[in-house]
Amino acid sequence: REREAEAAYEGSSRALHDRLMGALASGGTSLENITDFLDDIAGIVTCDGIGVWVNGEITLRGATPTAEEFTGLVRFLNRTAASRAFATQEIGAVHPPAADYPERAAGLLAIPISRAPRDFLVFFRREIARTVTWAGNPEKPASLGPNGLRLTPRKSFEAWTEVVRGQAAPWSAVDLRIAEAL
């Protein structure tokens, strides 16, 4: 069922991608006019927001960083691989200023759409806080006992939980294939 769902998702994204590329090619549309198709492009990959950087111009739709924050992200993206899509489910881990806005954009999938200057199409996903249950506190300090400094078993079987914040849903292999094709 998961494979069928992935195949259907990839197929619908490919069909939308083909329609979009056909419209861009037949209409003589330049890269600057890609913003006219943002709503369609946002349907290609599951996302909460989308941003485009073309020739220093910014267009943002949905849940995204502010224009100023997006400019900082583009500077960061310019230091990544030039010809490949870049994806992360935790922007704040690779670009520390992004830790301030995970409720709007915690994960990103950036697609370079030109080489020089480097223009980008960026998909964003919001934070999804989740609870992780551990068999014990992973940060429990070792204590001094009869056998020296050791991590001793706890006296109860109570689970220790931690809320993980600042991360979006991971980008799937299908998402990455779709981005590379685009």
Side-chain angles (χ1 to χ4, degrees), residues 123-146:
F123 297 93
F124 293 101
R125 287 185 177 164
R126 289 185 175 125
E127 170 186 61
I128 296 180
R130 56 189 161 79
T131 303
V132 178
T133 304
W134 299 84
N137 184 346
E139 297 172 6
K140 179 181 177 182
S143 58
L144 190 58

Side-chain angles (χ1 to χ4, degrees), residues 16-17 19-21 23-24 29-54 57-64 70 109 111 113 120-124 182:
L16 183 56
H17 171 267
R19 279 198 325 269
L20 175 66
M21 292 300 112
L24 285 169
T29 305
S30 67
L31 195 56
E32 287 82 9
N33 296 337
I34 197 168
T35 58
D36 297 340
F37 297 95
L38 270 190
D39 293 331
D40 292 328
I41 293 170
I44 293 176
V45 174
T46 304
C47 64
D48 296 312
I50 189 168
V52 177
W53 173 280
V54 176
E57 296 293 317
I58 298 171
T59 304
L60 301 168
R61 300 258 168 82
T64 64
F70 189 68
L109 173 57
I111 303 169
I113 53 177
F120 292 94
L121 174 62
V122 184
F123 297 93
F124 293 101
L182 186 60

Side-chain angles (χ1 to χ4, degrees), residues 59-178:
T59 304
L60 301 168
R61 300 258 168 82
T64 64
T66 64
E68 184 179 320
E69 293 163 340
F70 189 68
T71 300
L73 272 174
V74 168
R75 276 191 232 112
F76 162 74
L77 291 170
N78 275 316
R79 295 189 301 269
T80 62
S83 61
R84 300 192 49 86
F86 175 81
T88 180
Q89 72 184 47
E90 187 177 2
I91 306 170
V94 294
H95 180 63
D100 294 338
Y101 49 86
E103 69 286 347
R104 290 178 279 129
L108 72 76
L109 173 57
I111 303 169
I113 53 177
S114 69
R115 291 178 192 243
R118 292 212 36 213
D119 298 316
F120 292 94
L121 174 62
V122 184
F123 297 93
F124 293 101
R125 287 185 177 164
R126 289 185 175 125
E127 170 186 61
I128 296 180
R130 56 189 161 79
T131 303
V132 178
T133 304
W134 299 84
N137 184 346
E139 297 172 6
K140 179 181 177 182
S143 58
L144 190 58
N147 297 322
L149 193 61
R150 305 267 170 126
L151 184 60
T152 57
R154 297 169 353 137
K155 294 181 174 68
S156 73
F157 291 98
E158 205 172 292
W160 187 81
T161 59
E162 174 184 21
V163 176
V164 177
R165 303 197 66 85
Q167 294 183 6
W171 301 98
S172 69
V174 174
D175 292 326
L176 297 176
R177 281 195 305 270
I178 291 168

